[in-house]
Amino acid sequence: MRNPLDPAELNAAIENVHRAGMPGLFAEVRDGDQVWRGAAGVADVATGRPVTADMRHRVGSITKTFTAAAVLQQVESGQIGLDSPIGRYLPRLVPGERGDAITVRMLLNHTSGLAEYLPYAYPSLKAFPDLANTSPQSLDDHRFTRFDPVELIELGVAAPAVGAPGGALGLYSNTNYLLLVELLEQATGTTAERYITENVIERAGLQDTEIPTGPYINGPHSQLYEAWFGMIDPPRDYSVYDMSWVGPSASLISTVTDLNRFYGMLLAGEIVSPSSLAQMQRTVQVVSQEGKTIEYGLGLHPVEEPGQDTFWGHGGTVWGGGALAMTRADGKRQMAVAVNTQRWNRLDSSGRPQPHPIDGALAALYRVAMHG
């Protein structure tokens, strides 16, 4: 049963997330020609300035779909081999046997076995995923740090491997996508930012989407409040932040309207070819940064619920902000949601994140938005 949009139900669901403790959030849901946009709460807790549905927002790893689409375009043109070893292209960054064993596909679907560099770049996160023994100090220390992507890659490559290349269970790692950014630059002879802008963002006709070069968000936007599992109390605004710690693998600024437009065009075969899209939708099992086992393709992952249609898209988080964009496989029903707080769950005595009312309220909003 496919349900049309119910504005009253969507308004109630988004308001419930705000009531559960989220300072502000906004969303766009589409069903065919029907469009609902909604917002609840504040963009600035100090002034009470409200959030609006047209705000620009840091969307984190949703960027990975854009990066993956750019790489697939280069696969289509013959510049990159999807199942070629990364050592053929970047022998200095992934040398020796590992470079021969890890393919471009394994970077795209996180089965390379390469570790996440982030706990090595941010010293106070060194104990991750042991959250109780992390602290948010590095988040402040690195607010304006200009990271060198090659140095970040070297941290991930030098770290102990988290699995064998092509293993049955992958591990989500930003190291993979920073390598893809370097690969894209080598294949195209230009910066990844420029290539993705001209061949993905502009091809999709996105008016309010960009890969930022500085620490600021241009245009109307919300503050971004990071709680780091209750260790930052009250949560601190990190909307001004140099995003070179993830670069063009997770630094995109966009709007909920642009995200829905992009995923709609991608699933319609208008950004990459239908055969490339089919490759993007071939999934493997990957352990997410939250420690959950998920299905993951090439920069895309599905949301599947019993008795419901499959949706495709990506989620993303940055310090203080998050977003989720999902489009039904037929392209007709779409949802993009942006929130202005992250890691709101406090830790229990065993160091695990405790359930929070926001979790259930967000899940309910997603269900209403996707399935009616």
Side-chain angles (χ1 to χ4, degrees):
M1 178 68 184
R2 294 186 171 171
N3 298 308
L5 292 188
D6 183 333
E9 200 175 9
L10 287 161
N11 287 330
I14 199 170
E15 193 62 45
N16 284 342
V17 182
H18 170 53
R19 283 207 195 98
M22 177 64 64
L25 72 159
F26 48 100
E28 180 186 88
V29 180
R30 291 179 166 266
D31 193 310
D33 295 331
Q34 278 190 290
V35 183
W36 170 87
R37 295 186 187 95
V42 298
D44 187 326
V45 297
T47 67
R49 175 171 58 95
V51 283
T52 57
D54 60 351
M55 283 182 161
R56 304 181 85 226
H57 196 72
R58 298 197 192 277
V59 300
S61 284
I62 287 174
T63 317
K64 288 181 172 60
T65 312
F66 288 70
T67 307
V71 171
L72 267 294
Q73 289 176 356
Q74 288 298 299
V75 170
E76 289 171 19
S77 71
Q79 294 299 306
I80 294 172
L82 188 55
D83 293 300
S84 297
I86 192 61
R88 177 182 300 175
Y89 305 105
L90 303 171
R92 288 185 181 170
L93 290 178
V94 193
E97 290 182 8
R98 277 175 110 186
D100 293 337
I102 295 171
T103 65
V104 174
R105 185 191 299 274
M106 291 172 199
L107 298 175
L108 285 160
N109 68 14
H110 298 291
T111 58
S112 69
L114 292 169
E116 171 64 63
Y117 63 79
L118 197 55
Y120 301 93
Y122 279 68
S124 72
L125 306 186
K126 188 78 165 72
F128 187 87
D130 176 6
L131 298 173
N133 286 307
T134 63
S135 95
Q137 180 60 46
S138 303
L139 277 60
D140 268 353
D141 295 343
H142 286 316
R143 186 189 284 264
F144 295 108
T145 300
R146 203 71 193 141
F147 284 104
D148 180 328
V150 170
E151 290 177 7
L152 294 175
I153 290 167
E154 287 171 347
L155 291 174
V157 172
V162 294
L169 190 63
L171 186 74
Y172 191 96
S173 166
N174 283 294
T175 306
N176 294 316
Y177 273 73
L178 278 193
L179 277 162
L180 290 166
V181 166
E182 295 296 315
L183 172 63
L184 201 52
E185 297 195 342
Q186 180 170 308
T188 62
T190 187
T191 65
E193 288 91 339
R194 176 174 292 174
Y195 183 85
I196 293 168
T197 298
E198 292 177 355
N199 295 278
V200 181
I201 295 171
E202 291 176 2
R203 179 183 290 195
L206 309 184
Q207 300 295 312
D208 290 301
T209 298
E210 66 174 334
I211 300 171
T213 52
Y216 298 95
I217 304 171
N218 297 321
H221 63 277
S222 174
Q223 313 307 103
L224 300 176
Y225 297 104
E226 179 59 51
W228 195 257
F229 306 103
M231 295 180 210
I232 308 177
D233 191 12
R236 192 170 301 138
D237 172 29
Y238 283 130
S239 57
V240 176
Y241 210 98
D242 189 300
M243 295 300 291
S244 59
W245 62 280
V246 281
S249 72
S251 63
L252 202 71
I253 292 169
S254 191
T255 63
V256 288
T257 297
D258 270 7
L259 292 178
N260 278 338
R261 179 178 174 88
F262 167 70
Y263 281 105
M265 292 183 72
L266 180 72
L267 290 181
E270 295 178 37
I271 307 296
V272 299
S273 70
S275 61
S276 290
L277 178 64
Q279 293 289 343
M280 293 179 79
Q281 292 176 311
R282 279 179 57 185
T283 64
V284 294
Q285 290 201 313
V286 170
V287 178
S288 72
Q289 286 183 316
E290 293 75 37
K292 297 174 182 164
T293 300
I294 60 170
E295 295 292 321
Y296 195 93
L298 309 183
L300 270 182
H301 68 83
V303 169
E304 299 167 293
E305 290 193 19
Q308 300 286 4
D309 292 309
T310 299
F311 280 68
W312 290 91
H314 213 290
T317 66
V318 296
W319 308 133
L324 179 66
M326 285 285 157
T327 291
R328 199 166 64 201
D330 65 3
K332 297 290 192 294
R333 182 91 174 198
Q334 298 188 276
M335 166 196 87
V337 179
V339 299
N340 68 2
T341 294
Q342 274 306 306
R343 286 158 284 270
W344 51 78
N345 305 80
R346 292 175 179 266
L347 303 180
D348 63 20
S349 57
S350 62
R352 286 192 294 267
Q354 293 177 292
H356 189 287
I358 290 173
D359 305 328
L362 259 183
L365 171 62
Y366 296 154
R367 276 196 303 274
V368 171
M370 287 191 280
H371 309 302

